[in-house]
Amino acid sequence: MFSIVSWNIQYGKGVDGIIDIKRISDVIYKDGLPDVLCLQEVSRNDPEIDNNRDQVNELKLLFPDYDHFFGVSHDRSVGNGKRRKQFGNLVLTRHSPIQVLHHLLPSPADPKARFMSRQATEMVIKIDSGAFRLMSTHLEFFSEKQQIAQVNRIRELHKEACEQFYNTAINKPKTPFEIVERPDKMIICGDFNFTIESEPYKIITKPFTNNIPELVDAWNVINSQESRIPTCGLFDFKQWQHGPHCRDYFFLSKIIASKIKKFIVNTETTASDHQPIRLIIDL
C-alpha cells in the first residue's frame, strides 16, 4: 500500500494563533508516517511570518528519513548576501523521485483580487509495481478567474505528460536528452481553494479527448455514498465564517481509481486552519 498525506499547514499557525512547526510534525507522526507528505504554505526566512525561521529546514530535520523538494511560489530578495525570503509547497518523500518538475501556474490580471503566485510540483516516483506521477499544488483563493486558468494549466500538464508517454521521443541515454517517462498514472493533491459546486471543480474533472485519462475525485470513488467530510472551517470560525466545507482534494487518473483503498480526513487537529487528508492506494 502507498500512502500520501496532503495538508495546508498555514505556515504552522494553529487555530490558537501560535506558529508551531513541531506541533505539525507531532500530528503527522501520531496519525502514522506516510510514503509522501505534501505540505502547502511553508515559509522560509520571512520576518513577517515566522521571525525569519527556515521552516523547510525545520521540517527536513523533523522528518530525517525523507527527501525534500521545495516548490517556491514566491522567491524574493531581502538584500545582497542575505537569505532569500520564500514561500511555497514542500514535498517530503521516502521514495526518491527519478524526476522533479516545478511549474509556475498562470495568474491572469484580476485587479479586484489579492494576488499571490501559485505553483505545482510534479515528480515521477518509481516503486516496485511501476512509475506514476505525483503533483502537489495550492491554487488561488481570491480570484475564480485565476483558479480557472490554473486548473486549465494543470489539465494541460496532464495532457502533455500523457502525450509524451504515448509518443516517446528519441532517447539519448547518459546525456541531458535522456528520457524520463511521465506516466499517464497521476495523483494530484493539495489545497485547491475551490468547493465542489464551483466551476473550477467541474473543469478539473471534465473528460479529455484522444484517450487521455480523465481526472476523478478520489472521495467520490471510495466514499460516493457518504457525505463529504469538511477539510477546513471545522475550528477556525474567524477565517471561515461560513463554517465547515471542503477545499482540499486528491484527484487521480481514472485508470488507477479502482486501486484506492481509503480516504481519511483528520477532523481532530487544530494545528492549522485546514485538516490533513490521507489517501491510501494499492499501487
Side-chain angles (χ1 to χ4, degrees):
M1 296 295 173
F2 197 92
S3 58
I4 306 167
V5 167
S6 176
W7 193 5
N8 181 334
I9 64 169
Q10 193 181 217
Y11 49 89
K13 184 179 178 182
V15 176
D16 57 8
I18 297 172
I19 297 174
D20 187 347
I21 290 296
K22 178 63 165 54
R23 178 167 55 180
I24 295 292
S25 71
D26 287 344
V27 171
I28 296 164
Y29 273 91
K30 181 179 178 181
D31 287 349
L33 290 173
D35 290 285
V36 181
L37 177 59
C38 301
L39 303 177
Q40 300 89 47
E41 291 199 27
V42 178
S43 174
R44 199 175 211 177
N45 310 325
D46 192 329
E48 285 78 31
I49 289 181
D50 192 13
N51 195 30
N52 278 320
R53 293 176 68 158
D54 185 342
Q55 295 184 346
V56 174
N57 191 56
E58 288 184 36
L59 287 161
K60 178 182 176 182
L61 294 174
L62 288 166
F63 296 94
D65 296 330
Y66 289 72
D67 281 348
H68 73 288
F69 300 89
F70 189 41
V72 178
S73 57
H74 74 227
D75 184 356
R76 298 173 181 174
S77 173
V78 291
N80 187 32
K82 297 182 180 180
R83 295 181 298 175
R84 300 188 67 79
K85 182 170 70 173
Q86 298 176 328
F87 193 79
N89 309 314
L90 180 66
V91 179
L92 297 142
T93 173
R94 283 172 155 169
H95 301 263
S96 295
I98 56 177
Q99 177 167 273
V100 178
L101 303 171
H102 297 294
H103 307 285
L104 188 65
L105 298 177
S107 297
D110 187 349
K112 296 181 181 179
R114 301 184 201 176
F115 171 74
M116 183 169 71
S117 294
R118 306 288 175 162
Q119 69 87 231
T121 294
E122 172 191 340
M123 54 181 60
V124 178
I125 296 176
K126 191 172 184 179
I127 56 178
D128 291 343
S129 58
F132 70 98
R133 282 181 297 124
L134 176 70
M135 187 180 287
S136 174
T137 193
H138 182 201
L139 302 191
E140 181 52 50
F141 175 80
F142 294 100
S143 170
E144 187 179 74
K145 177 182 179 181
Q146 292 176 359
Q147 271 185 10
I148 290 173
Q150 290 161 7
V151 165
N152 280 326
R153 179 58 180 147
I154 287 169
R155 285 173 56 87
E156 288 173 358
L157 290 167
H158 180 54
K159 180 174 181 287
E160 173 188 279
C162 292
E163 289 177 343
Q164 289 176 355
F165 185 64
Y166 301 150
N167 303 279
T168 306
I170 297 171
N171 190 20
K172 289 295 220 179
K174 300 181 180 180
T175 77
F177 296 97
E178 182 173 10
I179 291 174
V180 176
E181 291 183 334
R182 297 167 70 193
D184 54 0
K185 299 173 183 177
M186 181 178 81
I187 301 171
I188 177 170
C189 62
D191 175 5
F192 289 81
N193 266 323
F194 53 63
T195 62
I196 57 174
E197 302 85 8
S198 68
E199 186 63 22
Y201 179 90
K202 295 173 185 176
I203 292 172
I204 200 168
T205 53
K206 186 171 64 175
F208 290 85
T209 57
N210 299 327
N211 297 317
I212 304 298
E214 65 183 270
L215 299 174
V216 296
D217 182 342
W219 177 272
N220 292 339
V221 174
I222 195 72
N223 298 319
S224 60
Q225 303 304 313
E226 301 179 25
S227 298
R228 189 181 287 267
I229 298 175
T231 66
C232 61
L234 272 74
F235 304 104
D236 188 341
F237 305 116
K238 184 176 181 180
Q239 290 191 89
W240 305 110
Q241 297 180 13
H242 48 295
H245 60 290
C246 183
R247 292 181 181 270
D248 306 84
Y249 305 90
F250 285 100
F251 297 101
L252 70 163
S253 301
K254 190 174 183 178
I255 54 176
I256 55 173
S258 64
K259 297 183 178 294
I260 299 172
K261 298 302 178 184
K262 290 184 181 180
F263 188 124
I264 303 166
V265 183
N266 178 325
T267 57
E268 298 179 356
T269 182
T270 60
S272 170
D273 65 326
H274 285 249
Q275 310 304 123
I277 60 175
R278 180 183 297 254
L279 183 74
I280 300 175
I281 185 167
D282 186 9
L283 289 172

